[in-house]
Amino acid sequence: MTARPRCDDAPFDATRLANAATAALRAYDPGHDLPALRQRFGAVIAELGSNENALGPSPRAIEAMRAALADVFRYPDPRGAALKAALARHWGIGVDRIVLGNGSHELLMMLTQCFADPAHSVVFSQYGFAVYPIATAAAGAQPICVPALPRTHATAPLGHDLDAMAAAVRADTRLVYLANPNNPTGTWFGDGALTRFLENVPRDVLVVVDEAYNEFVDTPGLSTALRLVDDHPNLIVARTFSKAYALAGARAGYLVADASVVAVLERLRESFNLNSLALAGAEAALADRDHLDHVRRTNASERAWLVAELAQRGYACLPSQTNFVLVDLGRDAAQLERRLFERGVIVRPMGGYGLPHTLRISIGRREENERLLAALDASS
Ligand code: PMP
């Protein structure tokens, strides 16, 4: 082996050593340093920036995680067998149709790593969830970002244009990411639109329907893409325990797909990707239907109340079937976000999504929502 020249004079910088796909990426912007803010201000901040579920998880989930602590010196079950069996029963499918993820984020990333390379393209919507372009870039694949529906659209302003997305699929397209409902817009498309989309897309294109917020849906005409997985082997449905089940900090998600898709993903999955507390908590949370119903009902009524209160103050929200609303100010939102922050109310500015005139506000507990309104009143 010939010796490589040493260049000890130059400062070490690994940036130039990054592979091409990673060199093209920017690190995720996590927003405000919340742990530091909590330490400084304690409970006085209203955290409405991350679409968490402020009602908290099922008490049974907390209990199960406490019990799991006793065995924390052991590795978790690498198969996640108990959680997978519970999910399989819940959805009436085989356990060979499920992959567990350290949050659904991990699964969304794994899909491009397993199925796309630089010769392939990946289709997603403008204003779709931010992870889709990152997953595409991480695999070095070519992004096809399809313009969103216009702001004036009757049911899904700034939402996915499924006809345009189907038309954007090319011979080299491997994956399409759809979020239903979508983050950050909160918009959705109905069952019929998805069925049509699947009929319009070749079977070799994997269609990922990200249903992170599906449990919050209460509008007629939108159920779940899970009802279609038996008829469409190219359909992949991603779900999470972070939102309605309120286990964002535990990190548990899953996807349902054809067994052959699962088998490919399992080659790359880190064997202990779900820790033992997350496995126990998710299983117990899934079993507590009463808590989920309580979350659904509370979220729906709080969202309706908040949207009405905001409207009274002249703030227009996009239609939402999630646990957040996108407020369209019609002018740059950065200043208002700053003023709310100074009053201890954290919301998410959407400039990074190309929506600088909007703020995304999670539905909090009533007292947090009231703090938001009071801060808005004081800021206007
Ligand atoms: N999909 C969507 C649409 C999301 O908004 C989020 C989280 N913000 C995720 C997936 C990932 O969630 P998690 O990794 O916590 O499951």
Side-chain angles (χ1 to χ4, degrees), residues 78-89:
R79 293 181 187 81
L83 177 56
K84 278 212 264 191
L87 286 166
R89 270 196 309 277

Side-chain angles (χ1 to χ4, degrees), residues 23-252:
L25 283 173
R26 265 181 306 151
Y28 172 69
D29 171 11
H32 295 293
D33 183 352
L34 290 171
L37 288 171
R38 278 177 212 136
Q39 223 173 18
R40 209 166 128 205
F41 299 110
V44 294
I45 47 174
E47 297 187 30
L48 304 175
S50 298
N51 300 345
E52 293 148 345
N53 176 357
L55 298 174
S58 156
R60 285 159 63 178
I62 307 260
E63 210 176 291
M65 289 191 279
R66 269 211 191 97
L69 267 179
D71 285 328
V72 80
F73 64 100
R74 298 207 185 278
Y75 279 106
D77 174 7
R79 293 181 187 81
L83 177 56
K84 278 212 264 191
L87 286 166
R89 270 196 309 277
H90 185 81
W91 293 116
I93 51 170
V95 285
D96 60 344
R97 310 282 300 279
I98 301 168
V99 185
L100 300 179
N102 189 264
S104 56
H105 186 147
E106 180 186 50
L107 298 167
L108 297 169
M109 295 293 291
M110 273 169 60
L111 283 163
T112 52
Q113 282 177 281
C114 287
F115 289 105
D117 65 32
H120 298 130
S121 60
V122 177
V123 172
F124 47 83
S125 176
Q126 181 187 22
Y127 314 134
F129 181 44
V131 165
Y132 313 148
I134 296 171
T136 305
Q142 301 156 46
I144 301 180
C145 180
V146 178
L149 291 167
R151 176 178 259 97
T152 49
H153 191 271
T155 52
L158 308 179
H160 292 11
D161 184 342
L162 288 193
D163 291 339
M165 291 182 82
V169 168
R170 305 192 305 224
D172 65 5
T173 299
R174 263 294 153 79
L175 282 147
V176 179
Y177 284 106
L178 305 173
N180 201 24
N182 180 47
N183 173 19
T185 56
T187 50
W188 67 96
F189 48 86
D191 292 342
L194 178 62
T195 305
R196 270 196 311 282
F197 183 83
L198 289 165
E199 278 159 12
N200 285 337
V201 165
R203 225 171 59 150
D204 279 353
V205 176
L206 297 173
V207 177
V208 184
V209 182
D210 176 353
E211 294 192 335
Y213 298 94
N214 179 278
E215 289 86 358
F216 294 115
V217 167
D218 61 359
T219 190
L222 171 53
S223 57
T224 168
L226 284 162
R227 76 194 192 287
L228 299 171
V229 285
D230 285 342
D231 296 334
H232 297 273
N234 58 329
L235 174 62
I236 299 169
V237 185
R239 290 271 184 137
T240 183
F241 285 94
S242 296
K243 304 298 178 185
Y245 291 101
L247 290 172
R251 313 303 299 132

